[in-house]
Structure formats: C-alpha cells, structure tokens
Amino acid sequence: MGGASDIDEQMQNAEIETTPAPTRRRKKKSMVWEHFTVEAVAGGCTRACCKLCKQTFAYSSGSKIAGTSHLKRHIALGSCPKIKSQDRKQLALASGFKTDGESPDPPKRRYRTSSYLNSLFDQDISNENLAKLVILHELPLHIVEHPAFEAFAQSLQPRFKMLSSEAVEVEIMAVYQKERQNLFQVLGMIPGRVSLTVGLWTTSQTLGYVCLNGQFIDSDWKLHRRMLNFMMVFSPHSENALSEVISISLAEWNLKDKLFTITLDNNCSSHDIYSANLRDHLSNKNSLMLKGQFFVVRCYANILNVVAQDIIASIHGIIYNIRESVKFVKASPSREEKFAEISLHLEIPSTKSLSLDITTQWNTTYHMLVAALEYKQAFTVLETCDDNYNEAPSPDDWRKVEVVCAFLKLLYDSAIVIMAAADPTSNLFFHEAWKIQLELTHALASEDAIVSSVSREMYEKFDKYWKDCSLVLAVAVVMDPRFKLKLVEFSFSKIYGEDAARYVKVVDDSIHELYLEYVAQPLPLTPAYVELGEAHTSMNGSEINHPSTPISTGDGLHDFDIYISEISTTQNTKSELDQYLEESLLPRIQEFDILNWWKLNNIKYPTLSKMARDILAIPMSMTSIGSSLFSVGTGNKVLDEYRSSLRPEIVEALFCAKDWLQYLPTMVELPPHTTIVKMEM
C-alpha cells in the first residue's frame, strides 16, 4: 500500500533534485546521471546514490573515478528493486519515456557515441527480427495488420512502428538476399563437389514448385545440406522440367562443373524416365564423374515408406479391426479396467500400453500392432464376455499381423539407425540396405505361405531400389576404412551366392575407374618434408598430436617439392587406392568418426581423400539431417492455399531463408555482464 505513491513522489523529487555543486571536473554527459546523484562521504570520497531505491555505489576515492558501467547495469538490467516492483513504469523511465503513456520526449542532447540506454531500441533491427519471425515460424505476412499483434508489439516497445504487409515483404527479401550472398561465398570455397536432392511440391493450381538442396563436405570435413532454390514451374512433371530447373540453379550458384549426383524422391514408375532424361540433358552441360553411372540416386527413406505402406495395405482390414478394438477398450475407464483384469488373469507379461496410430506415420501403426499382438488373447476373451465388442481378429488374422510386424521391424530398425546418426554420411546406408535385401530374398523362398505372400510385393519394390542403387551404396561403404571392399564381398556372397564374384568385380572396376578420373585432376602441392605416410590417428579417428596445416614452404625449395612430387608418381608401383584397400581394416567401434579419419589422412591419401569427400557427401536420403524418416510420404508435398497465392519470388525467399537461418547463431543475445543469480528463499 502506498508503494505507487512513493514511487511517484520519488520520481517528482528526481525531476526537481539538483546535482551537486559543479567542480572543476568536466560536466557529466552520461545519461546514467538522470537516475543517480553524487553524495560526499567521509574521507573525501563520493558515492553514487540511486534516485529510486536510494542504494549507493562507489564513485570516487580522492582523485580516482570508479566509472559508470556498474551504474548502467543497475538501471538497464533491472537490478534496482524499485524497477523490479514497478517493472513497466520504470523500464519506460530508463528508456527515456514518460510514464503517463505519452510519446517519448526527444533527447535533450545528442552525442557522437550512442549511450547504452538509448541503444536498447533500434527500429531497423526490430524490422529485421520481425521478418525472421515470420520466416522461421511460417506466419502469414498479414499478421502485422492484426490489431492484437500490433497491440502486443506496442506493449513491448511503444516506439516500434508496425510495418505493413508490403514492408514485411521488403524486409523478408532483404534477409533472403543477405543470407543468399553468405551461402554463395560458402559454396565458392568448398573444395569438392556438390550433390543435389530434388523434391516436387504441388499446388491447388496447375503450377508446381521444385525444391533443390545441395549437400557437400567443407574444407574442415563437416557435412552440410542447404536449400538452393524453391522454383516455380508450370508443368513440374513434364519431360524437361527438372533438367531445366537444375541447369538454371547450377548456373545461378556457379556450380556447373561441381555437380556430382542427384537424389530424387519419385515413385517407382516415373523414376526411370526422370533418370534417363536428367542424365542425358545434364551430361551435355556438366562433367559427370564415372560417365554418370550413379549420377541419379533414389531416396532410401522413400523406399522404406513405400514398402512399409504396401505391407500395411496388405492387411488393411485386419488393421481396421485392431484399431477399432483399441478404441473400444480406451473408450471408458471401466472398459480399460476390465481389459486389465482379463490381461492379469491370463498372466500376459507385456508392459506395453495399447495406443492408437497416426495413419500418415507408419511407425505409429507398427507400435500399435506390436502392442495389440501381445494382448491378442485378452481381446479374444473380451469378445466372449462383452456383447458390445465384436471386432476381435481371428487366429489367422493374428498370424498375419505377426508376420507383418516382423517385416515392419526390419524397416523400423533400419530407419532408427539412420536417424540416430548425427551426420548420416553415405557409407551408413549400405549396411541397412543389404540386410533388408537379404531378408526379403530369404522370405520370398519361405515355405510359409503367409511369409512368402506378404514378402512378394515388398521384394519387388525393394529389389528395384537395390538394382538401381547397389553400386553407389557399395562404392560409398568402400570409403569406410572399417569395411572397404571386404564387406561388399561378404554381403554379396550372401545375396548372390555363386554369382557374387561377378557383382564384386563391377564395384571394384567402378572404384578404380572413378579413382583414375580424380588422379587426372590437379592436386595442391604438398611439401616433401611432411611425412605423408604418418597420419597419426586413434582408433576412433581422433587426432593425436597432428599438425592442422602443412608447414610453410617459404624456405626456397619450391622446385625441390616439384621434383619429389614428379619422381614419387613414377616410383610408386601401387596407387593410393590399392594401398588403402590392402591395408588392414580399422576396428569397428561405435564412436568412429569417418569424416575426421579422412581429414587426418588427407596428407597420406591426397587424391583418394578428394574422392572420399565427394562420395561420402552423396545424400542417400531426401530427409534433412536430424528429421524423421517415417513421415516422408510417397507422393509430392502440397503447398497450402495461402502460400500458393503469394508471388513465386516471395515463396522462394520464405522457404530458402527459413532453411538458411536455422544454421545461424542464436539471434537474441544477453546484454554484457549479465549473470544468473541463485535466489535463496
């Protein structure tokens, strides 16, 4: 009580209070003195006294001045208890506002250096942050015209002038252009090639969009994926649409001679058409490695989803009954209690809980079936003792569910392995693909009629993927020093039996042919006195006392380095590739970092490391790093009605800028000298 009047009285006193008598010191210019007075204390010292809370701080001791930084923090960061109790009013005071809600007074005097307190608000920075808010959270541009949003912004900062929808567009384009220029510079400095992913978006109109992402490994051996373009096309499914868009994008980003592979997310029937068209069109304009043999790659996440959806569709009637059964049990607490009593009486050991699935995410359907399968006896008993329930699957139905769950587990486990990888490089996918191919091959030959029937359509779809991508998958795993060609030989012997040697030779020949193409490319000169054969690494690929950069060559022996480089190429009887393949495999440990291993062995294998950099960056999956593989879907993505109505350049700016901004450091930073204080109660 009386707290508000006390504050008002103190504010009035602050307005009429005069500063101490002027001394010979120059006039104080800092705005902090609007909130402090200087009081003399014993010993010829002075202290600064806060006008609001009357707390004092050291200011001078004889001829020494303590400065004003600690005084600014007291006011600007809310340390003053009066500011904490009257937060809104006092923050307005600290920013130079009147407390009666009127517009701010103009500053009494301007100085060349802006004060700490005045720098708290900047209209341009606020405009940029508003544009980033709209971009990152996919808000409609006209949100700035909503009275509630404007009122909210004004409550935070009355000096902020709300933008119009047209002005927000301008700010969005400015953010897009700024981040685009930054990415352009990054792409200009990458040492290797770029692989693309191509996704199609449809609209309610006849128009469509093509989304292009570039994946690459930088000079520090870090894997990156960035959106390059989100371009509108009138007929995205036409014969030349993709190749034309890709050509335009490569020209815009100056990547004409850096294209390595393209990953598509298309259905099985159209993939061959797209593959042939892209290869023929782009091979005339770009230098494709290995004559484009694995130029077009299919999305691994897409094939998992296609196969999983086919399995689920094969027993859709049974799944419907199970879904309805779960709904029935969970419809009321009494039914759940009755079902629990039945399960307890049957001594069902399951700890799983019944759950409903999300039909667009097949992993949730898998979990629903697995849980229901363990309670199959309870559902059967429930049907006999509850006349309202008649959805229990038959014993044959449960057998089909059991087989389907076994196949779904194979796909689910594979997806989890890929999603668990922080940087899913291309070498990871061979392990998963060959195991699925082998299991489906065995299932197709099974004497169990249900197993062979369910696996038949799965095998047809996955075998098509395996035939299209097994070469690029195998080449990628050869770049893993824990496996090299040995895993290819082992897995192919399991899949192909007596014909394995023929398939292994195709992989071996392709690797050597690709290596020769990299040999023909120039390499940066390496000083001869750097020990090429000793890249010191630990078993998990971490560095052990290894210099991060080559020693400087400023010793006048440049010609000597060239001489050594020339004779070494003629004296070595084995290539880098053969040396690499013949060396012992590294131990298989979970913490192994393949990119770091190649970074540390870059000097030992200068040509082969260039080849490994490009191969390991191939995007075997369309999903972004860290995303779920279960909701990719088998068809094109659909642009909503609102974004379909925007101008194409704004749509591209919104999509691309959102992708680019997520890789930036945090936009909001704490003020300097901010500390976290643990409060004692």
Side-chain angles (χ1 to χ4, degrees), residues 25 44-46 58-67:
R25 299 183 184 277
C45 301
T46 60
Y59 178 60
S60 70
S61 176
S63 60
K64 296 183 179 180
I65 302 297

Side-chain angles (χ1 to χ4, degrees), residues 110-376:
R110 294 184 179 272
Y111 301 99
R112 287 179 298 174
T113 57
S114 60
S115 71
Y116 180 84
L117 297 177
N118 275 344
S119 66
L120 293 177
F121 172 72
D122 186 303
Q123 179 73 39
D124 293 336
I125 293 177
S126 297
N127 291 346
E128 181 180 353
N129 285 334
L130 175 58
K132 290 177 179 179
L133 175 70
V134 171
I135 292 169
L136 290 171
H137 296 279
E138 300 182 4
L139 301 176
L141 274 62
H142 54 76
I143 191 173
V144 296
E145 299 171 356
H146 291 187
F149 184 78
E150 185 172 1
F152 173 70
Q154 288 293 309
S155 70
L156 298 178
Q157 177 51 267
R159 281 196 289 173
F160 175 69
K161 297 179 180 178
M162 183 57 69
L163 305 181
S164 64
S165 297
E166 293 76 13
V168 171
E169 279 196 15
V170 174
E171 293 292 336
I172 289 172
M173 292 304 297
V175 171
Y176 165 74
Q177 292 294 346
K178 175 183 175 182
E179 299 306 326
R180 189 181 189 281
Q181 184 60 32
N182 292 337
L183 180 59
F184 188 85
Q185 294 176 1
V186 170
L187 293 175
M189 295 185 294
I190 61 174
R193 290 178 171 255
V194 174
S195 291
L196 299 181
T197 66
V198 182
L200 300 182
W201 288 67
T202 59
T203 69
S204 57
Q205 308 163 0
T206 58
L207 305 176
Y209 284 84
V210 175
C211 177
L212 298 179
N213 290 274
Q215 186 156 303
F216 57 92
I217 294 174
D218 64 16
S219 57
D220 197 37
W221 287 87
K222 301 297 182 184
L223 183 67
H224 302 274
R225 181 182 293 185
R226 297 289 185 273
M227 186 177 293
L228 301 180
N229 292 94
F230 197 87
M231 301 175 65
M232 188 195 73
V233 290
F234 289 99
S235 301
H237 294 282
S238 64
E239 185 177 358
N240 297 318
L242 287 184
S243 54
E244 290 176 357
V245 168
I246 294 172
S247 296
I248 293 172
S249 179
L250 294 175
E252 286 182 355
W253 292 99
N254 198 23
L255 296 173
K256 287 184 177 181
D257 299 322
K258 287 192 172 185
L259 180 61
F260 193 55
T261 65
I262 294 179
T263 302
L264 296 176
D265 184 10
N266 301 114
N267 58 53
C268 300
S269 60
S270 64
H271 176 264
D272 293 331
I273 300 173
Y274 280 124
S275 299
N277 178 261
L278 285 172
R279 188 180 291 108
D280 293 343
H281 184 90
L282 295 175
S283 60
N284 297 327
K285 301 181 179 181
N286 303 277
S287 55
L288 302 182
M289 305 299 291
L290 203 60
K291 300 177 182 178
Q293 286 188 44
F294 50 72
F295 173 60
V296 177
V297 181
R298 292 183 62 193
C299 174
Y300 184 73
N302 182 249
I303 192 62
L304 290 183
N305 279 273
V306 168
V307 173
Q309 294 294 346
D310 284 347
I311 300 174
I312 292 172
S314 68
I315 59 165
H316 67 278
I318 302 174
I319 292 178
Y320 173 82
N321 287 343
I322 292 176
R323 191 178 291 121
E324 292 300 313
S325 298
V326 174
K327 288 181 183 179
F328 180 84
V329 171
K330 298 179 76 66
S332 67
S334 60
R335 289 180 182 176
E336 286 189 286
E337 184 178 350
K338 183 177 183 179
F339 190 79
E341 291 175 358
I342 295 173
S343 302
L344 184 63
H345 178 73
L346 295 174
E347 298 181 351
I348 296 175
S350 177
T351 58
K352 293 183 173 63
S353 299
L354 294 178
S355 62
L356 288 171
D357 64 334
I358 302 172
T359 56
T360 57
Q361 299 178 10
W362 64 266
N363 60 313
T364 62
T365 304
Y366 165 66
H367 289 308
M368 180 185 72
L369 295 179
V370 168
L373 188 61
E374 297 193 4
Y375 290 99
K376 61 181 181 181

Side-chain angles (χ1 to χ4, degrees), residues 5-73:
S5 60
D6 291 343
I7 296 297
D8 293 338
E9 181 180 353
Q10 291 170 8
M11 289 169 58
Q12 292 172 4
N13 292 337
E15 293 178 358
I16 64 175
E17 187 173 355
T18 59
T19 57
T23 65
R24 293 182 180 179
R25 299 183 184 277
R26 63 180 180 178
K27 185 178 180 181
K28 300 180 180 65
K29 297 181 179 180
S30 175
M31 284 187 65
V32 76
W33 297 113
E34 294 181 12
H35 311 285
F36 287 88
T37 59
V38 177
E39 299 177 352
V41 294
C45 301
T46 60
R47 294 183 67 83
C49 178
C50 178
K51 296 178 181 180
L52 297 177
C53 68
K54 302 305 181 182
Q55 186 176 351
T56 63
F57 301 85
Y59 178 60
S60 70
S61 176
S63 60
K64 296 183 179 180
I65 302 297
T68 60
S69 296
H70 60 309
L71 306 181
K72 293 176 182 177
R73 291 197 295 272

Side-chain angles (χ1 to χ4, degrees), residues 36 63 120 219 297 400-401 446 633 650 669-670:
F36 287 88
S63 60
L120 293 177
S219 57
V297 181
K400 292 179 181 178
V401 171
S446 174
I650 293 297
E669 299 180 357
L670 291 174

Side-chain angles (χ1 to χ4, degrees), residues 328-518:
F328 180 84
V329 171
K330 298 179 76 66
S332 67
S334 60
R335 289 180 182 176
E336 286 189 286
E337 184 178 350
K338 183 177 183 179
F339 190 79
E341 291 175 358
I342 295 173
S343 302
L344 184 63
H345 178 73
L346 295 174
E347 298 181 351
I348 296 175
S350 177
T351 58
K352 293 183 173 63
S353 299
L354 294 178
S355 62
L356 288 171
D357 64 334
I358 302 172
T359 56
T360 57
Q361 299 178 10
W362 64 266
N363 60 313
T364 62
T365 304
Y366 165 66
H367 289 308
M368 180 185 72
L369 295 179
V370 168
L373 188 61
E374 297 193 4
Y375 290 99
K376 61 181 181 181
Q377 292 179 316
F379 282 114
T380 301
V381 173
L382 180 64
E383 190 173 37
T384 62
C385 61
D386 192 326
D387 295 336
N388 294 319
Y389 173 63
N390 56 4
E391 302 286 349
S394 67
D396 287 341
D397 290 342
W398 285 119
R399 171 57 184 158
K400 292 179 181 178
V401 171
E402 185 177 347
V403 172
V404 164
C405 284
F407 284 122
L408 287 177
K409 184 179 187 304
L410 190 65
L411 305 178
Y412 176 81
D413 290 346
S414 181
I416 291 297
V417 169
I418 300 301
M419 290 168 57
D423 296 313
T425 46
S426 59
N427 59 299
L428 299 178
F429 293 81
F430 180 83
H431 304 269
E432 305 309 314
W434 85 264
K435 288 184 292 185
I436 295 177
Q437 178 71 8
L438 180 63
E439 290 295 330
L440 294 180
T441 302
H442 289 166
L444 194 64
S446 174
E447 295 181 358
D448 188 312
I450 296 178
V451 172
S452 60
S453 174
V454 172
S455 65
R456 185 172 296 109
E457 191 168 358
M458 285 182 63
Y459 176 81
E460 291 177 0
K461 294 284 180 66
F462 200 86
D463 185 61
K464 180 69 168 61
Y465 170 83
W466 178 256
K467 288 177 179 176
D468 287 341
C469 299
S470 59
L471 176 59
V472 65
L473 290 168
V475 169
V477 83
V478 171
M479 295 294 101
D480 191 330
R482 298 169 297 172
F483 301 103
K484 302 182 182 179
L485 201 58
K486 299 300 181 183
L487 182 60
V488 177
E489 296 169 353
F490 172 79
S491 58
F492 280 12
S493 66
K494 297 283 189 181
I495 296 173
Y496 300 114
E498 296 179 354
D499 294 333
R502 179 164 58 90
Y503 290 96
V504 172
K505 186 177 186 303
V506 172
V507 176
D508 189 44
D509 290 346
S510 298
I511 293 173
H512 281 82
E513 184 179 347
L514 183 61
Y515 172 75
L516 291 177
E517 293 186 23
Y518 277 88

Side-chain angles (χ1 to χ4, degrees), residues 546-599:
H546 190 87
S548 59
T549 56
I551 304 174
S552 173
T553 58
D555 56 1
L557 294 177
H558 181 77
D559 292 341
F560 175 68
D561 292 337
I562 297 177
Y563 167 73
I564 294 298
S565 178
E566 290 175 348
I567 64 172
S568 62
T569 58
T570 60
Q571 289 178 351
N572 288 339
T573 57
K574 293 183 180 179
S575 66
E576 291 178 26
L577 176 59
D578 289 331
Q579 292 179 49
Y580 167 78
L581 293 176
E582 292 177 9
E583 287 181 352
S584 300
L585 301 180
L586 290 185
R588 297 193 308 278
I589 56 176
Q590 188 174 2
E591 297 80 10
F592 180 74
D593 185 342
I594 188 171
L595 295 182
N596 194 49
W597 188 90
W598 278 106
K599 175 183 177 181

